Amino acid sequence: MGPRRAHRLARMPDLSRDDVAHLASLARIDLEPQELDRLVGELDQVLGAVAQVQEAPIEDVEPMSHPMPLVNVTRPDEVRPSLTPEQALAGAPLAEEQRFSVPRILDEE
Amino acid sequence: MTTTRDDAVLGYDEALAQFDPVMGLEVHVELGTATKMFCGCATTFGAEPNTQVCPVCLGLPGALPVVNAKGVESAIRIGLALNCQIADWCRFARKNYFYPDMPKNFQTSQYDEPIAFDGYLDVEIPAESGEGTETYRVEIERAHMEEDTGKSLHVGGSTGRIQGAEFSLVDYNRAGIPLIEIVTKPLVGAGHRAPEVAKAYVSALRDLLRALDVSDVKMEQGSMRCDVNLSLRPKAGEDPTSDAQLAVPMGTRTETKNVNSLRSVEGAVRFEVCRHAAVLTSGGSILQETRHWHEDTGITTSGREKSDAEDYRYFPEPDLVPVAPDAAWVEELRATLPEPPAQRRKRLQGEWGYSDLEMRDVLNAGAVELIEETVAAGATPQAARKWWLGEPARRANTQATDLVTYADQVGLTPSQVAELESMVVAGRLNDKMARQVLEGVLDGEGGPTQVADARGLELVQDDSALEGAVEKVIADNPDIAEKIRGGKVQAAGALIGQVMKEMKGQADAGKAREMILAKLGAA
Ligand SMILES: [Zn+2]
């Protein structure tokens, strides 16, 4: 359970069209075939840029997930005012019975 | 997606003749903190929808989470009570998925750096010999901090506001409530007792969490939920703990979700053992998938296959700084741990003077805490045991639930049971009437005093009515009366029965006896 495991990401293999389709489905985004083709190229460029960053000499640098060297920032377990339901639902495209109305996801019962 | 309900199953004994079960249990516990894990919204159960939400738990842009100190403290205490190591440094991680129950599109969880890891919990099951108990050690892989999701209400096309469309209506009051997920290592060596071990573990865990006072652990309200992983492997002899058996590679597992009662935990393991065995013996192979448990029919059905939907792309949560519990603080928390449940049971059995058999019945009924509180409220241990293991235990069993859950549902409290007993001790009720009062309480007619008043159940305190009945019975039975006068005191029993009949049961038999003997000069 060592917290400071230094590891360098392996160079990503080239992004395939299937990879992009998979990511799109995870993000629940519908993409047209021509959009897929375009994004394969664009995302590949992004990955190329990231790969360049990975070439930096980091052997002596500890991995970092937060820019501030802080730990244990907590708050006491005390109730603070919440939003009103009207405020909470103000940005919802659809609401019903004081709840957010969303398209039903069919793969759950 | 298949949802066949007619999966073939093999008989349990037949299945166990050929296979060795391996289990893995994942338990989610909602902490009883006043506020959510990362914001100050209240956590009150049953509040009006979307009244306990804020920009943080709604995932609104720019909102920043801050960790609830009590949540971390509870997580560490749970870890310590499970004999775990506590991480000296760990982080939260984002578990990314797009689903309406999580407005942020990720759940804040922990990934490869759980706050607690490598522990165990010893659980007791009745020994096969029928005497005493056997101990099974459940190895704990990890316990980590995360947050609960919102609750969806599914609305069909006919009731929705837009014709023909199907909607889910989401309430985010629950989103962000602190959860601890406790994951076991593969449980091997339980053999045919696997279902019992699973149930005993969840039950022991519930007792432990209740003793820690970190959660209300109400399975029926979802504050404690269990996922059951199960696989079978070929049997390598009669001893499930033999080296030969442990060396057999594990089979493909299924994960049965949301098994939310002790009885269902046992049932889900048993059902999956029988289903897997039927698939395997007919030459098929087990599909690694999520299955749904059906509480009503006691079976599981296929849910979604484990697929790319499980690709969570975890990464460290950039909005939260690491948690690095100070060693001295951890030791302070260790000092607050309650007595381990097994040790506590031994102590209580001694204090209560229960025989092994009585204690076993109490344990099987899950009545230890109820009896402890009832004794604390003034009842004797024997009276507390008698009342809890009587009608309440019988009804809980009929309703396929456990005693704690049942008592909670009908609102029967330890102090009410103590009150009932005190009414018997005070001579207001006899045993039979007390039973009727208890039934009234279980039927929702109110507390013991209220029920006794409403039903007119009260021993007649006015001695003149009893005296009249005694005189009548003596006059009706001159032969028996003569015997008693002559010193045959045991003959009084026949008269007491008749007096009680005259009094329609509303009298104290002891007092009737005293009075009969006094009148016949045999006292
Ligand atoms: Zn909030």
Side-chain angles (χ1 to χ4, degrees), chain A residues 3 28 72 75 77 80 98 100, chain B residues 35-36 39 49 89 170 324:
Chain A
R28 305 216 194 264
N72 300 332
R75 62 179 172 83
D77 185 29
R80 298 233 219 130
Q98 208 167 297
F100 293 82
Chain B
T35 66
K36 293 187 179 182
C39 63
W89 191 94
V170 195

Side-chain angles (χ1 to χ4, degrees), chain B residues 163-175:
Chain B
Q163 278 293 313
E166 292 205 316
F167 289 93
S168 294
L169 300 180
V170 195
D171 167 16
Y172 291 117
N173 281 350
R174 201 180 64 180

Side-chain angles (χ1 to χ4, degrees), chain B residues 7 43 174 249 257 285 308 357 366 375-376 461 512 519:
Chain B
D7 285 305
T43 56
R174 201 180 64 180
K257 291 274 193 192
S285 54
D308 54 20
L357 197 67
V375 170
Q461 300 287 356
K519 290 219 179 282

Side-chain angles (χ1 to χ4, degrees), chain B residues 36 39-41 52-57:
Chain B
K36 293 187 179 182
C39 63
C41 288
Q52 296 174 167
V53 294
C54 74
V56 172
C57 55

Side-chain angles (χ1 to χ4, degrees), chain B residues 50-129:
Chain B
N50 294 305
T51 53
Q52 296 174 167
V53 294
C54 74
V56 172
C57 55
L58 285 177
L60 299 186
L64 267 184
V66 186
V67 173
N68 183 340
K70 186 79 184 291
V72 177
E73 180 187 302
S74 299
I76 293 173
R77 292 181 72 235
I78 291 170
L80 290 172
L82 290 170
N83 306 291
C84 286
Q85 314 266 344
I86 303 301
D88 55 11
W89 191 94
C90 65
R91 288 178 296 189
F92 288 96
R94 289 190 181 184
K95 179 181 180 179
N96 297 281
Y97 68 97
F98 285 76
Y99 197 76
D101 64 4
M102 252 307 165
K104 298 187 295 190
N105 287 336
F106 62 85
Q107 180 187 31
T108 308
S109 180
Q110 293 194 286
Y111 184 46
D112 52 357
E113 298 163 3
I115 188 147
F117 52 94
D118 285 347
Y120 62 86
L121 180 63
D122 285 333
V123 305
E124 287 173 35
I125 51 174
E128 286 202 87
S129 62

Side-chain angles (χ1 to χ4, degrees), chain B residues 306-450:
Chain B
K306 290 264 179 186
S307 65
D308 54 20
E310 306 282 318
D311 187 352
Y312 293 126
R313 295 149 293 136
Y314 282 96
F315 65 85
E317 166 58 81
D319 284 345
L320 293 167
V321 301
V323 174
D326 178 64
W329 183 45
V330 172
E331 289 316 305
E332 256 172 57
L333 293 178
R334 195 190 298 278
T336 70
L337 293 184
E339 186 182 8
Q343 190 180 318
R344 183 163 156 271
R345 282 197 291 273
K346 279 209 182 66
R347 174 177 61 76
L348 288 173
Q349 183 180 356
E351 284 175 17
W352 292 344
Y354 288 177
S355 69
D356 285 351
L357 197 67
E358 285 172 336
M359 195 64 189
R360 200 183 73 190
D361 288 345
V362 166
L363 289 174
N364 285 345
V368 175
E369 282 71 28
L370 293 170
I371 289 176
E372 191 179 25
E373 287 170 37
T374 307
V375 170
T380 63
Q382 287 301 343
R385 186 181 61 82
K386 179 183 83 176
W387 292 121
W388 281 110
L389 266 51
E391 189 64 11
R394 197 188 65 74
R395 290 199 190 186
N397 202 42
T398 312
Q399 295 182 17
T401 184
D402 61 281
L403 188 55
V404 171
T405 306
Y406 171 75
D408 199 60
Q409 276 166 1
V410 298
L412 178 66
T413 64
S415 63
Q416 285 178 338
V417 173
E419 182 185 340
L420 180 73
E421 175 61 17
S422 76
M423 288 163 80
V424 175
V425 172
R428 176 171 173 186
L429 301 177
N430 62 20
D431 208 62
K432 188 174 161 215
M433 293 158 82
R435 268 175 233 278
Q436 291 171 4
V437 169
L438 183 56
E439 284 174 24
V441 176
L442 298 180
D443 288 337
E445 295 170 22
T449 305
Q450 206 182 341

Side-chain angles (χ1 to χ4, degrees), chain A residues 3 12 27 31 41-42 51-52 55 57 76 84 88 97 103 105 107:
Chain A
M12 288 281 290
L31 290 180
E42 286 182 9
Q52 221 174 345
E55 275 155 27
T84 65
E97 296 176 31
I105 306 287
D107 63 355

